[in-house]
Amino acid sequence: MDRNQATGLFLISALLLVYLFFFSPKVAPEKNKAQAPTTATTTKPAGPAPALAPRPSSTRPLARRAASSSKTPS
Protein backbone atom coordinates (compact mmCIF):
# COMPACT_ATOMS: atom_id res chain seq x y z
CA MET A 1 0.00 0.00 0.00
CA ASP A 2 1.58 3.24 -1.06
CA ARG A 3 1.21 6.66 0.52
CA ASN A 4 -1.67 7.81 -1.73
CA GLN A 5 -3.77 4.73 -0.96
CA ALA A 6 -3.21 5.11 2.79
CA THR A 7 -4.15 8.81 2.63
CA GLY A 8 -7.29 8.05 0.63
CA LEU A 9 -8.34 5.25 2.96
CA PHE A 10 -7.81 7.51 5.97
CA LEU A 11 -9.82 10.38 4.44
CA ILE A 12 -12.72 8.14 3.40
CA SER A 13 -12.80 6.57 6.90
CA ALA A 14 -12.75 10.03 8.51
CA LEU A 15 -15.61 11.22 6.28
CA LEU A 16 -17.67 8.14 7.12
CA LEU A 17 -17.13 8.56 10.86
CA VAL A 18 -18.00 12.27 10.75
CA TYR A 19 -21.13 11.53 8.72
CA LEU A 20 -22.25 8.84 11.16
CA PHE A 21 -21.58 11.12 14.12
CA PHE A 22 -23.62 14.04 12.79
CA PHE A 23 -26.49 12.11 11.21
CA SER A 24 -27.05 9.37 13.76
CA PRO A 25 -30.49 9.38 15.46
CA LYS A 26 -30.58 11.29 18.70
CA VAL A 27 -31.52 9.36 21.84
CA ALA A 28 -34.01 11.22 24.02
CA PRO A 29 -32.90 11.35 27.67
CA GLU A 30 -35.17 9.65 30.16
CA LYS A 31 -36.73 12.07 32.66
CA ASN A 32 -36.63 11.14 36.36
CA LYS A 33 -37.01 7.43 36.06
CA ALA A 34 -37.20 7.18 39.87
CA GLN A 35 -40.33 9.34 39.99
CA ALA A 36 -42.16 7.48 37.26
CA PRO A 37 -45.65 6.32 38.24
CA THR A 38 -45.69 2.73 39.42
CA THR A 39 -49.38 2.08 38.92
CA ALA A 40 -50.23 -0.56 36.40
CA THR A 41 -52.41 0.52 33.53
CA THR A 42 -54.94 -1.84 32.10
CA THR A 43 -55.88 -1.86 28.49
CA LYS A 44 -59.15 -2.89 27.04
CA PRO A 45 -58.76 -6.25 25.29
CA ALA A 46 -59.03 -5.93 21.56
CA GLY A 47 -62.00 -7.48 19.86
CA PRO A 48 -61.73 -9.92 17.01
CA ALA A 49 -59.88 -8.70 13.97
CA PRO A 50 -62.10 -7.43 11.18
CA ALA A 51 -62.56 -9.89 8.37
CA LEU A 52 -61.00 -9.08 5.06
CA ALA A 53 -63.22 -8.68 2.04
CA PRO A 54 -62.80 -11.43 -0.52
CA ARG A 55 -60.42 -10.54 -3.31
CA PRO A 56 -62.10 -10.19 -6.70
CA SER A 57 -61.15 -12.79 -9.23
CA SER A 58 -58.37 -11.52 -11.45
CA THR A 59 -59.13 -13.96 -14.29
CA ARG A 60 -62.60 -12.62 -14.95
CA PRO A 61 -61.53 -9.56 -16.98
CA LEU A 62 -59.13 -11.74 -18.93
CA ALA A 63 -61.90 -14.21 -19.72
CA ARG A 64 -64.14 -11.39 -20.96
CA ARG A 65 -61.33 -9.98 -23.05
CA ALA A 66 -60.55 -13.37 -24.54
CA ALA A 67 -64.22 -14.04 -25.29
CA SER A 68 -64.68 -10.67 -26.97
CA SER A 69 -61.50 -10.98 -29.01
CA SER A 70 -62.37 -14.49 -30.23
CA LYS A 71 -65.59 -13.24 -31.85
CA THR A 72 -65.11 -12.60 -35.52
CA PRO A 73 -66.51 -9.35 -36.86
CA SER A 74 -69.31 -9.77 -39.42
Side-chain angles (χ1 to χ4, degrees), residues 6-20:
T7 303
L9 185 62
F10 172 75
L11 289 175
I12 289 175
S13 300
L15 285 173
L16 182 64
L17 289 174
V18 169
Y19 174 82
L20 290 175

Side-chain angles (χ1 to χ4, degrees), residues 27-34 36:
V27 178
E30 296 181 23
K31 294 183 180 181
N32 294 335
K33 195 171 185 180

